[in-house]
Amino acid sequence: MVSQIEFFLEERNRGFHIITDEITKKLPSLPHTGILNLFIKHTSAGLAINENADREVRVDLENIFNQLVKEGEPYYTHTYEGIDDMPSHAKSILAGSSLSIPITNRKLNLGTWQGIYLCEFRNRGGNRKIVATILS
């Protein structure tokens, strides 16, 4: 069986944000076993799974991404929406736009130190739309 819902995440500032609780609160009852696929419908943000305990990891990830893809490079031509426009698109390719998470005993089967991240690459990205597909 397949079910699907769409919902918005609350707006966040640029950075890496743990959204596991926000996601699980918006989901319907999960099956005993299955797969949850999450897809973000934006080209300037991404989804990831990573460390959920130490805030410094999120700060370091932001710094790493900013070093990998710098703002204001003279060779950027897609700059219509500001200095963070093209870098946010490149960063979203690096982070990815979807996740698949196993469902076991009606819960997301994440590791002890794992959380779902919204990787917000725009200074002002707005609300982000997520498609959640549950396969059982």
Side-chain angles (χ1 to χ4, degrees), residues 20-31:
T20 310
D21 290 343
E22 186 176 356
I23 293 286
T24 56
K25 286 177 184 171
K26 294 181 184 282
L27 296 175
S29 295
L30 296 175

Side-chain angles (χ1 to χ4, degrees), residues 14 44 69-73 76-91 121-124:
R14 181 173 166 165
S44 57
V69 184
K70 294 179 174 40
E71 292 183 351
E73 295 290 0
Y76 294 157
T77 58
H78 180 79
T79 58
Y80 306 115
E81 295 177 18
I83 195 166
D84 65 342
D85 192 6
M86 188 58 225
S88 69
H89 296 307
K91 291 173 183 179
F121 300 122
R122 296 301 305 263
N123 293 326
R124 290 197 173 108

Side-chain angles (χ1 to χ4, degrees), residues 32-104:
H32 190 266
T33 58
I35 298 285
L36 169 66
N37 179 269
L38 298 173
F39 175 75
I40 189 165
K41 295 177 76 170
H42 301 276
T43 61
S44 57
L47 296 172
I49 294 175
N50 215 300
E51 163 79 46
N52 70 353
D54 187 348
R55 172 144 176 68
E56 291 176 350
V57 171
R58 289 175 273 150
V59 172
D60 287 345
L61 285 169
E62 172 74 7
N63 291 332
I64 289 166
F65 269 68
N66 289 338
Q67 286 297 310
L68 289 172
V69 184
K70 294 179 174 40
E71 292 183 351
E73 295 290 0
Y75 52 84
Y76 294 157
T77 58
H78 180 79
T79 58
Y80 306 115
E81 295 177 18
I83 195 166
D84 65 342
D85 192 6
M86 188 58 225
S88 69
H89 296 307
K91 291 173 183 179
S92 75
I93 287 175
L94 294 173
S97 58
S98 67
L99 300 172
S100 290
I101 303 166
I103 300 167
T104 306

Side-chain angles (χ1 to χ4, degrees), residues 9-20 22-23 40 42 44-49 58 62 95-96 99 115-121 125-130:
L9 298 174
E10 67 181 54
E11 182 174 357
R12 288 175 170 80
N13 295 328
R14 181 173 166 165
F16 289 76
H17 307 279
I18 296 175
I19 58 169
T20 310
E22 186 176 356
I23 293 286
I40 189 165
H42 301 276
S44 57
L47 296 172
I49 294 175
R58 289 175 273 150
E62 172 74 7
L99 300 172
I116 302 169
Y117 280 26
L118 168 65
C119 311
E120 178 56 70
F121 300 122
N127 294 338
R128 298 302 192 167
K129 192 165 197 177
I130 301 290

